[in-house]
């Protein structure tokens, strides 16, 4: 492809004409202290920054935007920082997933409506990575992702603490009476001790790794801890590269091929990645015109072992992963299963980008013949309870529950579950199947991370630590347990999950990839005829828009009007 000339820059439409409007654009640039020397013939690079004072995972991104800016200037571009919705996982309620598509829309329109030639996307806390990428793919300009980087290991006394995973673990111990409030408070003080995203293999670490596997970051970028000085240098290098990407017209569409997505699914499985990645990858692939189905995940998962020994499926944390060789090290172990000709933002192939990569610790990044889990990191189930599919992460569950049949204990929504789960009179045994309804994309709303239903207190005290749990919700990537998630269609739109009653037998067979509600068809038909949908939660605003346009989990939960790769017109400038 020939190199773009300054006359072909998109930003020239704003700055290069001689009409009334371009007078306004130039005079207002001068108002901001910019001269022709700042922008004439230079690629304008938008730094789409999800920094916020209430997002601890992104608290360093204001500083990193300065590093990106330095890189853009070094390479002869003009950096323009554009703040975007931050989607802070701990604070945004009811769930950040309700707003993933809002950030995707914002990123897309920020890029489209401004005089930009390319973009650098700064994110990392769970939903921000897929949202920024979805938006940038639809906007279509050259774009590079700068992952926020994982935080340092947590620490409590002699213990290493992992985000999320150890919260759930010690919360269960607190409820069981094995630790006290003082211990709990010490854990609170030591579990998050630096900037950066969760440092377990949760959704953030999974999605930033997959952004790299797709070719959207500099090689090796996703594994660098946020607090490491190499992270700053990576940000500056990304700024420099963004300018070059504009001259080369290296757009997301030229990178995100079906083969690139197949690579991302392979890496997801090898990482033992978060189940949330399934929903996000399907949505991202839909935007790129390279559709992915749930069945592709199942097929690839059967061939790929989990080799990243990272919690919650394994023992270590992201800092250890980085020192062990990081994602490039892991990719080098899987080169026989990857499409090495896929190109990345730097114009090189995946094969070239992992050439020479090494693994320095075989326990953290395992060899293929000594995996953490031999295959099937994520299993996709179908059956009478989930006609359009459901997912489970077998590696994170007790093996005895992977082929199980038991009576349902049904909670009609989250509040019902919260009220009754610890009731000593609840009719529940370790063999029961806990069912949560109305927690899906429409029902939640926003498909909150409620899928790891708590073990009833009386069973916890009896030593039970895992049970079969089924819902149309998602689960935090840092969670573990025999949780069947993303049941589709969801209860709130009348899926069979809505029809389950206490005492119905449910059978899960992970090897056979089945999830069945064991009741006669005529009884199911009778219940279906009597079913009425829950009342809409929102009468107006974004919530109403969300309920009207959200697709189901197996379709990636994109908005129906945002999905697809159809081109959108450039803005008129007059
Ligand atoms: Fe931001 Fe976990 S809270 S990544």
């Amino acid at each position: 492809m020939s190199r773009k000339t300054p006359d072909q820059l998109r930003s020239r439409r704003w700055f290069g004409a001689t009409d009334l409007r371009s007078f306004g654009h130039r005079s207002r640039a001068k108002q901001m202290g910019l001269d022709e020397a700042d922008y004439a013939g230079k690629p304008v690079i938008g730094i789409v920054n999800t920094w916020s004072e209430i997002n601890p995972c992104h608290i360093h991104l204001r500083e990193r935007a300065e590093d990106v800016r330095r890189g853009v200037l070094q390479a002869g571009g003009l950096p323009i920082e554009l703040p975007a919705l931050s989607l802070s996982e701990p604070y945004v309620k009811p769930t950040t997933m309700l707003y993933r598509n809002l950030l995707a829309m914002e990123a897309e329109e920020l890029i489209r409506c401004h005089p930009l030639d390319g973009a650098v996307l700064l994110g990392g806390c769970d939903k921000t990575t897929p949202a920024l990428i979805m938006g940038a793919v639809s906007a279509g300009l050259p774009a590079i992702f700068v992952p926020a980087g994982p935080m340092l290991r947590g620490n409590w006394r002699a213990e290493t603490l992992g985000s999320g995973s150890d919260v759930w673990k010690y919360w269960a111990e607190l409820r069981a009476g094995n630790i006290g409030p003082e211990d709990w408070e010490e854990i609170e003080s030591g579990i998050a001790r630096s900037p950066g995203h969760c440092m377990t293999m949760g959704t953030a670490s999974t999605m930033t790794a997959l952004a790299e596997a797709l070719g959207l970051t500099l090689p090796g970028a996703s594994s660098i801890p946020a607090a490491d000085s190499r992270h700053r240098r990576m940000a500056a290098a990304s700024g420099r590269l963004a300018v070059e990407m504009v001259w080369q017209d290296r757009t997301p569409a030229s990178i995100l091929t079906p083969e690139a997505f197949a690579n991302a699914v392979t890496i997801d499985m090898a990482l033992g990645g978060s189940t949330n990645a399934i929903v996000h990858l399907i949505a991202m692939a839909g935007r790129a015109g390279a559709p992915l189905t749930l069945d592709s995940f199942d097929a690839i998962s059967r061939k790929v072992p989990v080799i990243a020994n990272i919690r919650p499926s394994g023992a270590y944390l992201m800092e250890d992963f980085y020192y062990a060789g990081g994602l490039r090290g892991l990719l080098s172990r899987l080169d026989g299963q990857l499409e090495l000709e896929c190109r990345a933002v730097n114009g090189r192939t995946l094969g070239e980008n992992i050439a020479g990569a090494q693994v320095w610790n075989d326990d953290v990044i395992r060899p293929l013949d000594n995996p953490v889990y031999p295959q099937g990191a994520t299993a996709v189930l179908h059956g009478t309870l989930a006609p359009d599919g459901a997912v489970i992460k077998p590696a994170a569950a007790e093996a005895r529950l992977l082929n199980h049949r038991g009576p349902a204990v049904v909670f009609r929504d989250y509040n019902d579950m919260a009220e009754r789960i610890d009731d000593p009179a609840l009719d529940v045994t370790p063999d029961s199947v806990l069912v949560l309804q109305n927690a899906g994309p429409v029902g939640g709303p926003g498909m909150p991370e409620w899928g790891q239903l708590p073990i009833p207190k009386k069973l916890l005290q009896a030593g039970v630590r895992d049970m079969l749990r089924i819902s149309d919700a998602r689960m935090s990537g840092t969670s573990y347990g025999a949780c069947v998630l993303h049941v589709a269609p969801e209860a709130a739109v009348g899926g069979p999950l809505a029809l389950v009653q206490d005492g119905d037998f449910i059978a899960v067979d992970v090897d056979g990839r089945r999830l069945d509600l064991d009741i006669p068809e005529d009884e199911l038909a009778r219940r279906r005829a009597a079913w009425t949908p829950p009342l809409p939660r929102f009468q107006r605003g974004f919530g109403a828009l969300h309920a009207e346009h959200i697709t189901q989990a197996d379709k990636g939960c994109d908005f129906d009007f945002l999905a697809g790769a159809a081109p959108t017109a450039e803005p008129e400038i007059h």
Side-chain angles (χ1 to χ4, degrees), residues 43-58:
V44 181
I45 306 296
I47 304 172
V48 182
N49 193 358
T50 53
W51 172 86
S52 155
E53 232 168 3
I54 196 157
N55 192 339
C57 306
H58 293 184

Side-chain angles (χ1 to χ4, degrees), residues 55-58 87-90 124-126 151 163 196-198 203-205 478:
N55 192 339
C57 306
H58 293 184
L87 294 187
S88 174
E89 196 65 30
C125 190
D126 289 17
M151 66 177 103
S163 316
H197 61 68
C198 292
T203 306
S205 301
T478 60

Side-chain angles (χ1 to χ4, degrees), residues 72 80 216 230 295 307 332 396 399 403 459 466 473 531 537 574:
V72 171
I80 304 279
L216 296 173
R230 284 166 280 201
D295 291 338
I307 58 170
S332 71
N403 189 344
L459 297 182
D466 200 3
W531 179 80
R537 175 109 173 196
H574 44 229

Side-chain angles (χ1 to χ4, degrees), residues 505-525:
F505 272 82
I506 292 176
V508 66
D509 170 10
V510 172
D511 281 345
R513 301 296 197 261
R514 295 290 306 177
L515 176 64
D516 289 297
L517 177 59
D518 215 352
I519 59 172
E521 184 49 45
D522 57 342
E523 171 61 12
L524 202 60

